[in-house]
Amino acid sequence: MSLLQQLTSDMVTAMKKRDKETLNVVRMLKATVQNEQIELGHDLNSNEEIAVMAQEYKQRKESLEEFEKAGREDLISQAKKELAIVESYMPKQLSKDEVTNIVEGVINELNASSMKDFGKVMKSVMPKVQGQADGKLVNQVVKEQLNK
């Protein structure tokens, strides 16, 4: 089942349950996927679907961080709920240890030894963890590994 079909099915389920919060988030996600399809001019493949969901997840995570800085409790709970719904459509997120193992493998493969190789390492790691790890985490792990 494609992501678009899943979103449509979940939208119908949320309507039947009269779950307005879930319905609103699923509608936004579906609209984003459809807009991306229109922009690209074809149905999205699984990597493109993951990229769209990762972008949506990142936006909500950043919003949550801003709301926490501002002390907006009313918006924090809403952002957390939205984040959980978006997360349900994403692949399982990798732990820091799993990301570290991938980064170490890439560093060994590229014979990277210093921060000068940072760009090459990131360029090789990101496609392997696309949608499964936050870019900030990957960036942090690569810096830690190259500074050993």
Side-chain angles (χ1 to χ4, degrees):
M1 179 180 286
S2 76
L3 178 62
L4 201 53
Q5 291 169 328
Q6 182 66 45
L7 289 168
T8 302
S9 171
D10 292 349
M11 200 167 77
V12 170
T13 302
M15 281 188 231
K16 287 179 180 177
K17 290 182 178 179
R18 301 195 192 292
D19 184 353
K20 288 184 180 182
E21 288 178 346
T22 302
L23 180 60
N24 288 336
V25 175
V26 173
R27 276 187 177 150
M28 282 190 287
L29 294 174
K30 184 177 178 191
T32 303
V33 170
Q34 288 175 323
N35 287 339
E36 188 70 16
Q37 281 184 337
I38 292 167
E39 192 174 307
L40 295 175
H42 61 81
D43 288 347
L44 302 181
N45 64 36
S46 63
N47 287 339
E48 291 167 335
E49 289 175 345
I50 290 170
V52 170
M53 286 299 117
Q55 182 62 34
E56 289 295 309
Y57 182 80
K58 181 179 178 184
Q59 286 176 352
R60 283 168 176 75
K61 191 167 181 114
E62 289 171 354
S63 296
L64 177 61
E65 290 170 3
E66 291 300 317
F67 296 151
E68 287 173 343
K69 285 181 189 173
R72 298 287 310 265
E73 293 301 320
D74 55 329
L75 297 175
I76 290 173
S77 63
Q78 177 66 24
K80 284 182 180 178
K81 289 174 187 173
E82 287 183 14
L83 200 58
I85 293 167
V86 174
E87 195 171 12
S88 70
Y89 294 102
M90 294 183 62
K92 180 185 162 291
Q93 297 294 294
L94 299 173
S95 69
K96 185 174 180 178
D97 292 337
E98 292 169 320
V99 172
T100 302
N101 289 338
I102 292 169
V103 169
E104 286 173 349
V106 169
I107 288 174
N108 292 335
E109 186 179 305
L110 297 175
N111 294 323
S113 58
S114 68
M115 284 303 290
K116 289 180 182 179
D117 300 317
F118 179 80
K120 286 193 286 186
V121 173
M122 286 295 290
K123 188 175 180 180
S124 295
V125 170
M126 288 310 290
K128 293 181 181 185
V129 299
Q130 183 183 19
Q132 297 177 326
D134 183 42
K136 289 179 185 177
L137 174 64
V138 175
N139 186 314
Q140 174 191 351
V141 170
V142 169
K143 284 180 181 176
E144 287 173 4
Q145 294 301 314
L146 289 175
N147 283 327
K148 278 187 175 179

